[in-house]
Amino acid sequence: MMIGQAMLAQDDSEIRGQQIRYQISSQKLIADGQGSERVSTILQPQAVQQD
């Protein structure tokens, strides 16, 4: 669990929020804001691989 202006980034994608949790058993990522603060999510599509 990451708390307090948490940020998780991979490649060009990122998630920002007051708290970020990852549930390993269900493979879910949960991000929360605090009060009126919003959660920001930027997901970049993966490039299509051609064979």
Side-chain angles (χ1 to χ4, degrees):
M1 180 182 313
M2 295 183 278
I3 300 174
Q5 296 182 349
M7 193 269 290
L8 178 63
Q10 181 177 0
D11 299 327
D12 291 331
S13 299
E14 67 179 47
I15 299 173
R16 293 175 183 265
Q18 182 63 27
Q19 177 177 303
I20 299 175
R21 296 173 294 187
Y22 181 69
Q23 295 178 345
I24 296 171
S25 59
S26 60
Q27 296 184 352
K28 290 185 179 180
L29 185 70
I30 302 166
D32 298 310
Q34 183 177 20
S36 62
E37 182 182 326
R38 295 184 179 200
V39 172
S40 170
T41 305
I42 300 170
L43 300 175
Q44 298 295 335
Q46 295 180 350
V48 176
Q49 295 180 0
Q50 298 194 4
D51 296 325

